[in-house]
């Protein structure tokens, strides 16, 4: 198939065609009732420049690189131009933020341009993040700064190549304008370079889209939204006669529960911390969405959160992500309760989350350890003890598993000197490891070795299997910060390099070994490398 030219890109905007629009074309902050979205135009910028784009996403959209790189399309990606067939709009939704109902939220700095019907990947929605104010911007300007945009662009694509369900990022465009931001909400705002990311997903519908209709007792539109979502995104559930019943809504909800559990298992596998798991940041498709104050576990600390706003409560810490996902799903269950009419079947569907997550987590951890399968009799204790061992001293999670894959277990009894040599690169403070820590690590490795031998898997086979699920490269915060620092100086080379390396996160790539190392000491407390806020 020949890629379409700019004029030939065909849009099929199901969301705006099928769901109720805000009757007002007034782009002012306000409460929007009885509507799924408000039509709004992106705000033009002064000097758009394409900093980077994802060739893989371009191919997914059937777009030729020549089209992406053309000045005309860069104008589209910056919000300066709307193509025929596009229907720009911002969605209306609510949400629970940090456990409390926040009322109407909506796309405050995101504007959907339209939906493309691709040749092989179904409908894909193009959304500009940082394209100016909408009726849902509250007291903000709807813009985004370069630092947050670089982080979202790189992490979206890195997560995809890691095998984690996620929204994608087509492009990163600088605007040539300055945006005022108070990075840490401490009363010291500064001007920063502005940017726009073009995000891509089959749909950007969130839990909060359903919550807002139920909160307002707008049950007709709640049903319209649910029917639209099932019909377009879960067609296997949609009834042939076009009339959804309670059973169809329950089957759909059970599938959302399953998809959400599977997504969080993948987060835990690679050490990703979302940082702000509010219900308005939960995709109905089980995709990672809204890359704000996210972070990666450098040293393995289950209680770590990258979000400064969450520093005291630690609601969204790494270890709490499964529990928060379950809680958020309970909010979705409450939102769709009017469609089902009974609590018990929704509760039963919600309860399947625990089973989905525990089975997925057990299988995932067995794979990370190179085991043929998860043994319910022996492996829970082995895994729990590993979680404890990883916290005895500051241990880099990513490097630990890659080093463990290379550790020989077929012959002999592991001793501390051999373990220290093999796993030493994973420790941030190897000189601080005391005798008790060394003993406990040695004991765990010995038990792990015995468990591996019961599978009869050779060291070589185990290493191959482990390296297929334990990445060598992840989008650590300090790496993203290096890209940001360079981009601020009009140097996109670090962004391009990281995008290229993260395409093959499980490969050795010795020429990029410097990107696989532990977090350097300078990044331990530097803003952007340790803790972040929601400011962008």
């Amino acid at each position: 198939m020949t890629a379409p030219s700019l004029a030939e890109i065909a849009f099929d905007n199901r969301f705006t065609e099928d769901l109720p629009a805000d009757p007002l074309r007034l782009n002012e902050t306000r409460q929007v009732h009885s509507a799924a979205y408000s039509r709004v135009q992106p705000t033009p910028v002064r000097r758009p420049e394409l900093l980077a784009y994802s060739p893989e996403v371009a191919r997914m959209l059937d777009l030729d690189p020549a089209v992406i790189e053309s000045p005309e399309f860069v104008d589209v990606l910056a919000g300066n131009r709307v193509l025929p067939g596009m229907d720009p709009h911002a969605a209306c939704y609510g949400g629970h933020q940090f456990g409390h109902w926040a009322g109407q939220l909506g796309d405050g700095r995101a504007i959907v341009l339209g939906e493309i019907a691709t040749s092989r990947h179904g409908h894909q929605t193009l959304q500009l993040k940082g394209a100016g104010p909408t009726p849902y911007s509250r007291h903000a300007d709807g813009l985004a700064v370069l630092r947050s945009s670089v982080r979202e662009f790189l992490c979206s694509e890195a997560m995809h190549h890691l095998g984690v369900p996620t929204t994608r990022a087509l492009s990163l465009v600088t605007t040539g304008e300055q945006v005022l931001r108070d990075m840490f909400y401490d009363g010291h705002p500064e001007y920063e370079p502005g940017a726009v990311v073009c995000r891509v997903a089959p749909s950007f519908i969130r839990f909060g889209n359903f919550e807002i209709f139920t909160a307002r007792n707008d049950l007709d539109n709640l049903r319209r939204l649910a029917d639209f979502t099932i019909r377009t995104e879960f067609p296997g559930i949609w009834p042939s006669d076009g009339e959804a019943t309670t059973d169809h809504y329950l089957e759909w909800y059970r599938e959302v529960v399953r998809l959400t559990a599977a997504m969080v298992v993948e987060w835990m596998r690679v050490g990703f911390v979302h940082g702000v798991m509010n219900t308005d940041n939960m995709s109905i498709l089980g995709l990672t969405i809204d890359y704000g104050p996210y972070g990666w576990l450098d040293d393995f600390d289950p209680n770590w959160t990258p979000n400064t706003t969450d520093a005291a409560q630690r609601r969204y810490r790494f270890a709490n992500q499964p529990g928060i996902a379950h809680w958020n799903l309970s909010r979705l269950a409450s939102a769709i309760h009017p469609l089902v009419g009974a609590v018990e079947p929704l509760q039963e569907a919600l309860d399947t989350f625990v089973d989905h997550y525990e089975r997925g987590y057990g299988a995932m951890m067995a794979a990370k350890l190179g085991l043929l399968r998860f043994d319910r009799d022996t492996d829970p204790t082995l895994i729990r003890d590993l979680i404890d061992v990883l916290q005895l001293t500051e241990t880099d999670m990513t490097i630990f598993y890659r080093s463990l894959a290379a550790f020989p277990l077929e012959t002999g009894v592991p001793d501390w000197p051999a373990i220290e040599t093999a796993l030493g690169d994973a420790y941030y403070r190897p000189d601080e490891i005391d005798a008790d820590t060394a003993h406990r690590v040695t004991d765990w490795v010995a038990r792990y070795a015995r468990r591996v031998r019961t599978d009869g898997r050779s060291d070589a086979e185990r290493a191959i299997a482990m390296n297929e699920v334990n990445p060598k490269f992840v989008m650590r915060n300090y790496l993203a910060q290096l890209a940001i620092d360079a981009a601020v100086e009009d140097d996109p080379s670090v962004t391009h390099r990281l995008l290229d390396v993260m395409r093959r996160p499980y490969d050795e790539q010795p020429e990029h070994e410097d990107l696989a190392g532990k977090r350097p000491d300078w990044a331990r407390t530097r803003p952007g490398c340790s803790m972040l806020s929601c400011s962008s």
Side-chain angles (χ1 to χ4, degrees), residues 69-99:
E69 296 170 5
S70 68
E72 295 81 7
F73 200 65
V74 172
D75 271 340
V76 173
L77 298 174
N80 283 9
R81 179 178 182 179
V82 175
L83 296 177
M86 287 181 168
D87 194 0
H89 64 275
C92 179
Y93 49 82
H96 282 80
Q97 298 192 323
F98 297 94

Side-chain angles (χ1 to χ4, degrees), residues 305-373:
T305 175
N307 190 348
T308 55
T309 309
D310 195 32
Q313 187 181 10
R314 297 188 181 273
R315 175 180 175 84
Y316 298 140
R317 64 191 182 273
F318 177 71
N320 211 31
Q321 293 183 130
I324 292 297
H326 184 263
W327 190 88
N328 288 343
L329 285 162
S330 74
R331 298 304 89 207
L332 177 61
S334 295
I336 66 170
H337 174 263
L339 304 179
V340 176
V343 172
E344 293 78 9
L346 282 167
Q347 184 63 55
E348 290 174 2
L350 175 62
D351 290 345
T352 66
F353 176 88
V354 175
D355 183 57
H356 284 308
Y357 180 78
E358 289 183 349
R359 284 192 292 109
Y361 181 81
M364 176 271 289
M365 287 299 297
K368 284 182 74 68
L369 293 172
L371 306 177
L372 289 175
R373 64 189 59 82

